Amino acid sequence: MSIDREMGFCLGWGDDEDEQSVEAEFLNKMRFIEFWFRERFPNRSVRNLRDKIVALADELPAEAIQFFTDSFPDFLDRVIVTRNFLTHLDPKLESRAEKGDGLKTISLKLGYFLSFHFCLDETPKDGILDLCHRPPKNDSIRTMLQSSDRPA
């Protein structure tokens, strides 16, 4: 699947994507989360990225979170560590930061997290729950979504 960069972000990649493209996609989603938090909570002062993501997650039905992760705390740790490594290049985080398929997976799941938020204003929570009952038709995306976020 090719990526239309003008669309902002995608939910999947083709076989021709390289690591730098996936990293850029992931970091774009992280920047968008910062923006989205400011839009959703203009009067809330939170500096910590983890707390911003948790505040956004609290707006979603639990089933929506369970759609893309079996452990939100572990997923969140993977996202934060990877974002901090890619942004600050801290060598202490390199061994815990996601790369390759792991990076694709958390980026895909982050895309679903954001997509559910986009639906929140236009769709009642029941509509989001309906989406959660329709797994993706693409086998590789379905496999990534069903992968565990718990440490091995």
Side-chain angles (χ1 to χ4, degrees), residues 21-71:
S21 297
V22 178
E23 287 175 5
E25 192 77 24
F26 172 78
L27 290 173
N28 283 338
K29 290 173 187 174
M30 296 306 296
R31 280 191 289 275
F32 193 82
I33 283 176
E34 295 275 359
F35 164 78
W36 194 246
F37 178 84
R38 287 190 307 271
E39 288 291 312
R40 300 293 291 178
F41 307 109
N43 298 321
R44 193 182 291 182
S45 176
V46 175
R47 294 183 187 185
N48 182 313
L49 179 60
R50 180 180 303 272
D51 292 342
K52 290 175 185 178
I53 296 172
V54 167
L56 291 169
D58 287 344
E59 290 192 313
L60 294 173
E63 292 89 342
I65 301 294
Q66 292 166 357
F67 177 79
F68 64 84
T69 183
D70 59 341
S71 173

Side-chain angles (χ1 to χ4, degrees):
M1 168 187 339
S2 65
I3 296 177
D4 180 359
R5 297 286 181 207
E6 294 179 25
M7 295 298 290
F9 66 88
C10 70
L11 294 178
W13 296 269
D15 294 333
D16 58 342
E17 286 296 316
D18 61 12
E19 187 83 5
Q20 287 181 327
S21 297
V22 178
E23 287 175 5
E25 192 77 24
F26 172 78
L27 290 173
N28 283 338
K29 290 173 187 174
M30 296 306 296
R31 280 191 289 275
F32 193 82
I33 283 176
E34 295 275 359
F35 164 78
W36 194 246
F37 178 84
R38 287 190 307 271
E39 288 291 312
R40 300 293 291 178
F41 307 109
N43 298 321
R44 193 182 291 182
S45 176
V46 175
R47 294 183 187 185
N48 182 313
L49 179 60
R50 180 180 303 272
D51 292 342
K52 290 175 185 178
I53 296 172
V54 167
L56 291 169
D58 287 344
E59 290 192 313
L60 294 173
E63 292 89 342
I65 301 294
Q66 292 166 357
F67 177 79
F68 64 84
T69 183
D70 59 341
S71 173
F72 188 73
D74 292 329
F75 169 73
L76 188 55
D77 284 342
R78 291 173 69 192
V79 166
I80 298 297
V81 166
T82 302
R83 182 265 182 192
N84 287 346
F85 172 70
L86 293 175
T87 302
H88 305 294
L89 299 176
D90 183 347
K92 291 180 257 177
L93 297 175
E94 185 172 12
S95 64
R96 293 179 41 221
E98 296 295 333
K99 297 168 198 71
D101 287 342
L103 181 59
K104 281 184 178 183
T105 298
I106 63 169
S107 187
L108 171 85
K109 292 179 178 191
L110 211 50
Y112 274 92
F113 176 78
L114 287 168
S115 295
F116 288 144
H117 260 280
F118 300 151
C119 293
L120 203 55
D121 289 336
E122 303 294 325
T123 306
K125 288 188 179 184
D126 290 345
I128 293 173
L129 296 178
D130 287 343
L131 291 173
C132 294
H133 290 96
R134 287 189 259 155
K137 292 179 182 170
N138 181 299
D139 288 335
S140 63
I141 290 176
R142 190 170 46 253
T143 300
M144 282 191 261
L145 279 175
Q146 293 170 349
S147 66
S148 178
D149 286 306
R150 297 179 197 279

